Amino acid sequence: MEGGMEKGIMVFTNLPDSDIARSIARSLIDERLAACVNILPAMQSIYRWQGAVEEAGEVAVVIKTTEGLYPQVEAAIVKLHPYDIPEILALPIVAGLPAYLDWIKSETKTR
């Protein structure tokens, strides 16, 4: 946190289907760990796993939360995610509509 202001972040993860994505999204919202979770339509992922090139259909998820809640968000995703090593990436929100950024902060719990 800089200057006492909690910074917004976006956390990305991919899941095997929309049912699991919706379950994780609901859990994050219910626990006030996220203000909003977007579940994007089906996509194809091509990646290297255990020495082989794999292809899988997945659903992308974008989670809007605050920097201070990241450890709890990560732990919640790991607990509910079916993959051995889920993709969990957090990116800072460097700018945005002030009212929207304030809304993210007001809809998530404080530490």
Side-chain angles (χ1 to χ4, degrees):
M1 291 190 319
E2 208 169 89
M5 296 297 294
E6 183 74 32
K7 292 183 182 245
I9 61 171
M10 295 193 317
V11 179
F12 295 85
T13 192
N14 295 329
L15 293 143
D17 62 56
S18 59
D19 288 340
I20 294 170
R22 205 169 8 266
S23 175
I24 289 175
R26 286 282 183 180
S27 178
L28 293 171
I29 295 297
D30 289 347
E31 296 296 318
R32 296 186 66 92
L33 294 175
C36 176
V37 179
N38 301 115
I39 301 170
L40 284 63
M43 64 178 190
Q44 283 297 114
S45 294
I46 301 172
Y47 54 94
R48 187 172 303 281
W49 178 249
Q50 297 179 340
V53 175
E54 303 283 341
E55 251 184 83
E58 293 184 300
V59 175
V61 175
V62 182
I63 301 154
K64 272 76 83 175
T65 187
T66 60
E67 192 174 42
L69 288 174
Y70 176 78
Q72 292 172 266
V73 170
E74 180 186 275
I77 294 170
V78 168
K79 179 180 177 185
L80 300 170
H81 207 294
Y83 295 170
D84 292 337
I85 302 174
E87 172 186 359
I88 304 173
L89 302 172
L91 302 173
I93 298 172
V94 297
L97 181 69
Y100 186 82
L101 298 176
D102 289 343
W103 174 78
I104 291 173
K105 294 170 195 166
S106 72
E107 292 304 317
T108 53
K109 67 181 180 181
T110 57
R111 288 198 250 178

